[in-house]
Amino acid sequence: MISIDKLNENQLKAVEHIDGPCMVLAGPGSGKTRVITYRIANMIVNKNIKPTSILAISFTKASSIEMKNRALALSNDFRMNKVTYGTFHSVFFRILRYFENYNIESILDEKTKRIGLKSILKGLNIENSDDDETIGQVINEISYVKNELMDKRDFKSEVLTNDEFIKVYNFYEEYKQQMNKIDFDDMLIKTYELLKHNKAALDRVRSVYRYILVDEFQDINKVQFEALKLIANPNNNIFVVGDEDQSIYGFRGSRPDFLLEFEEYFSNTTKVLLDINYRSKGEIIDIANRLIEKNTNRYEKVIKCGQGNGAKVNYISPEDSEEEAVYIAKDIKDKIQEMYTEYTDFAVIYRTNIQSRALVDVFMDMRIPFVVKDSIVTIYDHWAAQDILAYLRIGVNPNSNKDWIRIINKPFRYISKDNLNLIKDEPDFINSLINKCDLHPKQVKTINDLDIDISYVKGLSPKNAISYIRTTLDYDRYILDYCANRKIKTNGLIEILNELESSATNFKTIQEYLEHIERVKSELVDNKNNKETDGVIFTTMHSAKGLEFKNVYIIGANEGTIPHEKSYDIDDEAKKNDQIEEERRLMYVAITRAEENICISSPVNKYGKRVSKSRFVEDIKAPTKKEMDSISIGDKIYHKKFKEGTIVEKNGDSIKIRFKDRDRALNSKVCLTKRIIWKI
């Protein structure tokens, strides 16, 4: 027998559930993996349920392996090994192998997929088709359309025109058919189609998997959910664990609705709440609760603390991202000396990868080891940054024909590909362009002007040089035209250019700046290859999910960063609210990674302009619903300025307080937020 006495009351209720649908709402640090593994052990060892009838699904290979290992550690009963543990992709591919005779050779690997899409983009003459980020965005968009089971014609791409997207989508499907391959999205789609249209296959799968467990259910997308509904029916022995407050992968098609509407799809659902956080100190849980209760699309719940109080919650407002990075680096160095702790006890969490640039620069200069959780692609690898850097390299070395070819038509200078091919190997690119190509006099003047401008750029500091290229050489106008032609927003590309310009601030010469960039790239490659490094963790909010650290710094807590500007730059009010709520969930995930200390940083300036603090910082400091509701007519209060008084009227946030001299109308929310009044 497996002993389950050490579980708390609600964990025990979840573990002992056997038949019918069950939804476990598991807050951060509440022991959800423990519940799943104990339930598997309880079903097999204590209840003698056939292990081969149990399907346990996780979202990543690592979490699936962890689930299996933790389950096996609970009992040495040989039956525990016969459970089907896997990801959606591995489980669904197993079904395809059985019914459709696919094999491992049928899978299109990611490298071949990228090469194929790159070729398709080039064949359609789509600009920047060589850029890894562009290819990655197109891959993500195709994946989103498939996982949402939506019509490609209804999708609005952020990198391609509608016509381009449809053509790329169709050509990619043809490319796979010609190679007789399927990709990871096809594994899900084809399994769903098989189960939907082949009753014999569906009945067979249902007869094998009589009990389904799904971890991180808030991350599920439409095609996964629809396939699960088919398999679970009619017995509906489906047990899901998730937290709608941690649903943060909307760009992949996941959303909290599948958890919020679970009881509509599966009637007579048993609902269990795991609301004790065993990870974080009380002060951290308090600010997390204060933040997330401002969301409306959620189950109402308040997470309790199982660790006691004693955390430090710190708010800082540095001048800019450079000063922010320096403050954090110094703070970590001081704490390492004071507390005799390790670098891996510290994490810096940010909304977008672009924010790591200043951190990497400062930590390299101060020789503090760090580990970047996300990809090693830097801001310097982006195609727009590469264009600017090509201009700078030409300033240093005018014989770099590769760089001349890259920028000659950015902005458009009407130089044909034929002319470029004619002179690409000539030792003097500009002279050859003028003398060997049949150019119009206006073109010749444009090229001569460009040559003079490049000579001027050479003598500027890198920051001023980048500013000159963007303004006088009209590179920013090229970006605006590029976006207008594709009907996409300019914000993301302009931010790349702003960050690049900011990165050049502390360098005197272009050569020094270019050498620094190469050093950063080399450091990040070494960083990625050295998995054993004891270093401060740099991670995005998305990648931080599932991790925990003693000390957390959340940087860039400003409007436009978190929430990201793209979340509120939306005309549809309902969609805008959904996006803001997802951004708030991201902030919630970041906060709940912290065990003992948290520092939230909101720089005063960004790219030389004033920025306001994130509304989420205000959410944290604002009174809770409970605190607002606790103020009633007749309450005695104390006001910092007007002293004692009595509330005589209340209408929403507005209250009227009778003081000794006269009645005063005040906003209770503002007063409570700023700690101006309190009950006596």
Side-chain angles (χ1 to χ4, degrees), residues 527-593:
N527 188 297
K528 205 69 181 174
N529 292 336
N530 186 6
K531 303 284 185 190
E532 305 305 314
T533 303
D534 168 31
V536 178
I537 306 298
F538 293 169
T539 176
T540 60
M541 292 175 175
H542 285 102
S543 293
K545 188 148 166 288
L547 304 177
E548 51 191 52
F549 308 94
K550 286 182 181 173
N551 309 283
V552 165
Y553 300 84
I554 298 173
I555 64 170
N558 299 97
E559 286 294 297
T561 303
I562 176 74
H564 198 277
E565 61 187 347
K566 70 181 179 187
S567 66
Y568 52 77
D569 189 13
I570 300 171
D571 295 330
D572 186 312
E573 203 61 34
K575 284 183 180 174
K576 185 194 291 187
N577 289 337
D578 285 347
Q579 289 296 309
I580 292 292
E581 292 212 348
E582 175 142 335
E583 294 287 310
R584 191 177 279 109
R585 291 193 293 269
L586 266 172
M587 187 72 167
Y588 177 75
V589 165
I591 289 169
T592 54
R593 300 311 94 198

Side-chain angles (χ1 to χ4, degrees), residues 91-360:
V91 170
F92 283 18
F93 187 60
R94 189 176 303 177
I95 294 170
L96 288 179
R97 287 178 82 158
Y98 186 85
F99 291 102
E100 302 280 348
N101 296 320
Y102 284 100
N103 58 51
I104 204 75
E105 298 299 317
S106 308
I107 302 171
L108 181 70
D109 66 85
E110 287 300 304
K111 186 178 178 184
T112 311
K113 180 178 184 172
R114 280 183 168 267
I115 291 168
L117 274 165
K118 187 176 186 177
S119 175
I120 290 166
L121 293 172
K122 272 192 167 182
L124 291 169
N125 288 320
I126 291 169
E127 214 168 339
N128 302 310
S129 55
D130 280 333
D131 181 58
D132 282 339
E133 187 162 327
T134 302
I135 295 164
Q137 282 179 286
V138 172
I139 287 172
N140 290 341
E141 290 187 341
I142 290 172
S143 181
Y144 180 86
V145 169
K146 290 189 159 192
N147 286 308
E148 277 291 279
L149 298 173
M150 70 188 292
D151 189 322
K152 57 184 174 287
R153 290 165 296 190
D154 296 333
F155 180 72
K156 186 158 179 55
S157 170
E158 291 186 6
V159 281
L160 304 172
T161 65
N162 288 353
D163 286 345
E164 283 173 344
F165 180 77
I166 291 167
K167 284 178 183 174
V168 169
Y169 189 104
N170 290 338
F171 280 137
Y172 177 55
E173 291 303 298
E174 287 175 20
Y175 169 75
K176 285 184 296 180
Q177 285 170 11
Q178 287 165 6
M179 297 187 74
N180 201 23
K181 301 272 189 184
I182 62 169
D183 65 14
F184 285 94
D185 296 319
D186 294 328
M187 287 181 195
L188 306 181
I189 300 285
K190 287 184 181 294
T191 304
Y192 169 62
E193 295 292 342
L194 169 75
L195 298 174
K196 187 179 178 185
H197 300 295
N198 186 331
K199 189 174 185 304
L202 178 58
D203 288 344
R204 174 79 177 131
V205 173
R206 282 175 174 170
S207 69
V208 173
Y209 298 128
R210 302 185 69 83
Y211 294 92
I212 302 169
L213 297 89
V214 187
D215 191 13
E216 301 287 8
F217 192 76
Q218 76 281 342
D219 294 339
I220 203 166
N221 61 36
K222 189 171 177 64
V223 67
Q224 292 164 340
F225 187 57
E226 293 299 327
L228 274 186
K229 281 198 298 180
L230 288 170
I231 299 169
N233 215 18
N235 295 325
N236 290 335
N237 293 328
I238 182 167
F239 179 93
V240 303
V241 181
D243 181 7
E244 81 286 1
D245 290 333
Q246 296 185 71
S247 177
I248 58 172
Y249 298 115
F251 62 92
R252 293 203 304 234
S254 65
R255 50 184 180 269
D257 307 49
F258 297 118
L259 254 182
L260 294 168
E261 296 164 9
F262 188 83
E263 292 165 283
E264 293 174 28
Y265 295 110
F266 299 99
S267 55
N268 301 317
T269 292
T270 299
K271 188 171 159 188
V272 181
L273 175 61
L274 302 184
D275 58 354
I276 302 174
N277 182 317
Y278 296 100
R279 174 191 300 152
S280 309
K281 298 279 189 187
E283 294 84 354
I284 294 166
I285 293 169
D286 178 57
I287 66 169
N289 280 331
R290 285 173 177 274
L291 171 71
I292 204 62
E293 77 152 24
K294 308 302 188 293
N295 271 4
T296 56
N297 198 25
R298 66 187 293 263
Y299 289 107
E300 198 163 311
K301 56 186 183 293
V302 177
I303 302 301
K304 305 182 188 82
C305 179
Q307 289 285 60
N309 290 337
K312 287 181 183 173
V313 179
N314 190 20
Y315 301 91
I316 61 169
S317 298
E319 192 63 28
D320 54 27
S321 63
E322 312 292 329
E323 189 179 290
E324 178 180 63
V326 169
Y327 171 89
I328 291 169
K330 286 181 177 175
D331 194 50
I332 289 172
K333 268 198 160 181
D334 291 346
K335 283 188 168 71
I336 289 280
Q337 289 172 351
E338 289 168 20
M339 298 157 59
Y340 303 103
T341 187
E342 296 178 350
Y343 286 113
T344 46
D345 289 330
F346 297 84
V348 187
I349 304 178
Y350 35 83
R351 172 63 180 83
T352 61
N353 268 315
I354 199 172
Q355 293 171 262
S356 66
R357 195 275 311 160
L359 291 169
V360 169

Side-chain angles (χ1 to χ4, degrees), residues 626-677:
K626 189 176 178 182
E627 288 168 339
M628 290 291 290
D629 291 343
S630 71
I631 292 181
S632 309
I633 294 171
D635 283 350
K636 302 283 185 188
I637 65 97
Y638 186 88
H639 189 285
K640 270 188 174 180
K641 184 176 179 182
F642 306 120
K643 311 307 177 193
E644 289 183 21
T646 304
I647 297 172
V648 292
E649 280 183 32
K650 184 182 179 184
N651 184 13
D653 292 351
S654 298
I655 52 173
K656 185 179 278 187
I657 303 177
R658 184 156 291 157
F659 295 101
K660 274 186 180 177
D661 57 347
R662 64 182 175 89
D663 291 357
R664 285 184 165 82
L666 300 171
N667 184 299
S668 60
K669 190 172 184 179
V670 172
C671 289
L672 287 169
T673 300
K674 296 189 174 180
R675 308 286 190 266
I676 294 169
I677 65 167

Side-chain angles (χ1 to χ4, degrees), residues 416-430:
S416 70
K417 282 186 178 177
D418 289 341
N419 281 334
L420 291 177
N421 284 330
L422 184 67
I423 60 160
K424 64 181 181 182
D425 297 322
E426 293 289 332
D428 190 333
F429 185 87
I430 289 295

Side-chain angles (χ1 to χ4, degrees), residues 435-549:
N435 297 318
K436 294 191 177 182
C437 301
D438 189 20
L439 299 185
H440 187 277
K442 280 187 178 177
Q443 285 178 289
V444 173
K445 183 183 184 308
T446 301
I447 297 304
N448 279 324
D449 288 347
L450 175 62
D451 197 25
I452 292 165
D453 281 325
I454 292 289
S455 297
Y456 177 68
V457 162
K458 184 180 179 179
L460 297 174
S461 70
K463 188 177 191 305
N464 290 339
I466 293 171
S467 176
Y468 188 83
I469 292 161
R470 293 180 63 185
T471 53
T472 307
L473 295 187
D474 271 347
Y475 187 81
D476 274 16
R477 182 172 62 80
Y478 159 71
I479 289 293
L480 297 177
D481 290 344
Y482 174 88
C483 293
N485 292 337
R486 278 162 179 70
K487 298 183 175 63
I488 60 175
K489 290 177 177 158
T490 60
N491 312 32
L493 291 173
I494 294 298
E495 185 178 18
I496 293 284
L497 298 177
N498 286 340
E499 186 64 35
L500 187 73
E501 191 172 325
S502 175
S503 74
T505 303
N506 298 321
F507 299 93
K508 292 188 174 67
T509 69
I510 290 172
Q511 185 63 43
E512 183 190 356
Y513 177 55
L514 293 173
E515 286 170 1
H516 164 76
I517 290 170
E518 290 310 309
R519 213 165 49 248
V520 167
K521 287 184 178 181
S522 173
E523 173 80 17
L524 289 176
V525 170
D526 291 346
N527 188 297
K528 205 69 181 174
N529 292 336
N530 186 6
K531 303 284 185 190
E532 305 305 314
T533 303
D534 168 31
V536 178
I537 306 298
F538 293 169
T539 176
T540 60
M541 292 175 175
H542 285 102
S543 293
K545 188 148 166 288
L547 304 177
E548 51 191 52
F549 308 94

